[in-house]
Amino acid sequence: MLLLALLLAVPAPQDDPEKLYGDWVVACDNLHGCEMTSLQPGDQPVPEDDSAWDASMSLTRAAGPAGGFTVEVWASGKLGGKVTLKIDDAALATALAKDESVIFTGADAARIAAAMPNGKALVVTGADGRVAARISLAGSSASLRHIDANQGRAGTVTAVVAKGSRPAGVVPAAPVAERVMGIRPAGAPAVVTKAMRAGMEKQSECGGLYDGADSVPEVETFALGGGKTLALLPCGAGAYNFSSVAFIVAGGKAVRAVFDGGDGTLVNAGFGNGRLSSYNKGRGVGDCGNAGVYVWDGRRFRLIEARSMCECRGSSNWLITYRATAVFR
């Protein structure tokens, strides 16, 4: 397994929230919402004339006794019209595709989930009968069993793999998401002077990184409200990751921003609609890495969403490992 040298300091709400099983990665967040996503086959031959293995698939299941399934398949090429999903040549569901994906919900998605543990391969065919997506099911049974366990379904009639006779009513209800109070951005951002930037570089040890460079990236500033400004100090860049350090500017002074975990070193940071986002790609194609979204509560940046993908094997669908609800005032 390829382990990432993570640059983005996102708190770990759970220990090892992601698990790898064969050609699948599964993760359940702090509210027991679970998702599993397919990877490029690890040990199956890929036909030279068939790019359908480039496809990927996600299966999510909501927490709680009545938690339902959603299945989405992204094809290796553009999809259109009615498509059919099959497992080992048995047609299970049809739906209308949009652009490069097709979504199955309700009874169709539940039927797909039930057939996956004993299947070898899942395919999606277009109206012309040609294969538009081909998904290895190796590891899908273990991933579904992981979801059964995390959501408290093992031994109940709601489980997919760990089925039992206990009624659905014994499955725990979904937890309520924490409400994080955020401040709605207002006002105009402060100006970061040369002297202030020099002090920020000294605090962050980012000074000297651009010595001798033809151009130096500007400090990005965003009004947070209450007379405070978010300043993102550039702190180096690679081929596809741009690092910065977050500061809070107020009263002509800049101090390091405080975060839920981490030290305020961000990667590919952006700010909009009161949300500070950061994502660190493990490689240029973006099929692995981690990401976080934060809101400012007046004292620190609070985490409201974390995503990650531990395996660099073709999935750009990074899995949610933490969720909270932002409430702005």
Side-chain angles (χ1 to χ4, degrees):
M1 180 174 74
L2 178 59
L3 297 177
L4 299 178
L6 298 179
L7 299 176
L8 171 60
V10 173
Q14 311 173 69
D15 292 332
D16 299 325
E18 294 174 88
K19 298 293 182 183
L20 170 67
Y21 299 105
D23 295 331
W24 290 78
V25 171
V26 60
C28 296
D29 60 33
N30 56 309
L31 305 179
H32 297 290
C34 297
E35 181 175 11
M36 50 190 279
T37 193
S38 67
L39 305 173
Q40 292 294 301
D43 57 5
Q44 297 190 36
V46 179
E48 293 182 0
D49 60 348
D50 189 353
S51 63
W53 286 109
D54 292 341
S56 62
M57 172 180 164
S58 162
L59 181 147
T60 63
R61 189 170 195 184
F69 298 92
T70 299
V71 170
E72 184 168 9
V73 181
W74 293 268
S76 54
K78 190 169 183 178
L79 282 174
K82 184 178 290 188
V83 299
T84 300
L85 184 148
K86 303 178 181 179
I87 291 181
D88 298 344
D89 295 326
L92 297 176
T94 60
L96 290 176
K98 292 184 179 180
D99 296 326
E100 296 181 358
S101 75
V102 58
I103 297 175
F104 302 90
T105 59
D108 284 344
R111 189 162 50 252
I112 294 167
M116 289 172 65
N118 295 318
K120 292 184 178 180
L122 178 151
V123 298
V124 170
T125 58
D128 58 2
R130 298 186 62 176
V131 174
R134 189 187 305 273
I135 307 294
S136 166
L137 293 178
S140 63
S141 178
S143 298
L144 286 163
R145 184 182 292 275
H146 180 99
I147 293 175
D148 286 344
N150 183 277
Q151 296 183 335
R153 302 183 184 282
T156 75
V157 295
T158 71
V160 176
V161 178
K163 274 191 171 296
S165 59
R166 292 192 299 158
V170 304
V171 176
V176 177
E178 178 187 1
R179 290 165 62 88
V180 175
M181 302 302 297
I183 293 179
R184 197 177 303 278
V191 175
V192 175
T193 65
K194 288 184 177 180
M196 191 181 297
R197 175 166 183 160
M200 294 163 64
E201 290 178 343
K202 184 176 181 179
Q203 289 185 60
S204 60
E205 299 182 354
C206 296
L209 288 177
Y210 300 100
D211 289 349
D214 294 334
S215 61
V216 178
E218 296 292 331
V219 176
E220 292 186 276
T221 57
F222 307 91
L224 292 175
K228 295 183 178 180
T229 293
L230 166 66
L232 298 177
L233 174 70
C235 197
Y240 41 81
N241 285 325
F242 179 87
S243 298
S244 57
V245 177
F247 284 81
I248 301 299
V249 177
K253 297 181 179 180
V255 297
R256 291 284 292 265
V258 179
F259 282 74
D260 278 343
D263 62 357
T265 301
L266 308 173
V267 181
N268 302 319
F271 186 81
N273 298 318
R275 293 167 170 81
L276 173 60
S277 62
S278 185
Y279 67 95
N280 171 37
K281 296 196 292 185
R283 62 179 186 171
V285 295
D287 62 349
C288 52
N290 60 12
V293 180
Y294 304 83
V295 297
W296 173 250
D297 72 356
R299 295 185 302 171
R300 60 177 172 153
F301 282 101
R302 302 290 310 282
L303 181 69
I304 61 168
E305 181 181 287
R307 289 179 177 268
S308 63
M309 172 51 60
C310 60
E311 291 289 316
C312 300
R313 284 174 53 188
S315 177
S316 59
N317 179 35
W318 298 4
L319 304 179
I320 295 179
T321 57
Y322 182 82
R323 289 181 290 153
T325 300
V327 181
F328 290 96
R329 54 186 172 87

